[in-house]
Amino acid sequence: TVMNDKVTKTLMSKLRQPIHINYISSHILRVSEEETRKILDNLIKEGVVEESKYAKDYYVIKSV
């Protein structure tokens, strides 16, 4: 998984509002949806990102 600080910062700056995984994968990370899902799963495990409570496959920065 290509997950460096630059990628993380870019992703986190975009996820202030919920974004669909298709958009994250094609426009933000520019990797496959499968790869995007792995990255998001890691961020979820770290407690940084969560799936939106309102829509499936939409991800957003976890609110404190």
Side-chain angles (χ1 to χ4, degrees):
T1 308
V2 185
M3 197 58 194
N4 59 35
D5 288 344
K6 185 172 181 254
V7 172
T8 307
K9 282 186 183 126
T10 302
L11 184 56
M12 297 310 282
S13 72
K14 305 284 188 205
L15 290 181
R16 292 195 177 111
Q17 67 275 342
I19 300 177
H20 193 267
I21 190 164
N22 287 343
Y23 187 88
I24 296 169
S25 125
S26 57
H27 297 282
I28 301 171
L29 298 177
R30 293 187 172 84
V31 295
S32 70
E33 193 170 311
E34 185 183 344
E35 188 72 13
T36 299
R37 207 170 282 280
K38 286 179 192 163
I39 291 168
L40 289 168
D41 286 345
N42 285 338
L43 290 171
I44 289 167
K45 282 184 192 131
E46 290 171 21
V48 182
V49 170
E50 64 186 355
E51 189 168 357
S52 172
K53 293 168 185 71
Y54 308 106
K56 186 167 173 29
D57 282 342
Y58 278 80
Y59 294 87
V60 65
I61 293 176
K62 189 171 181 130
S63 50
V64 179

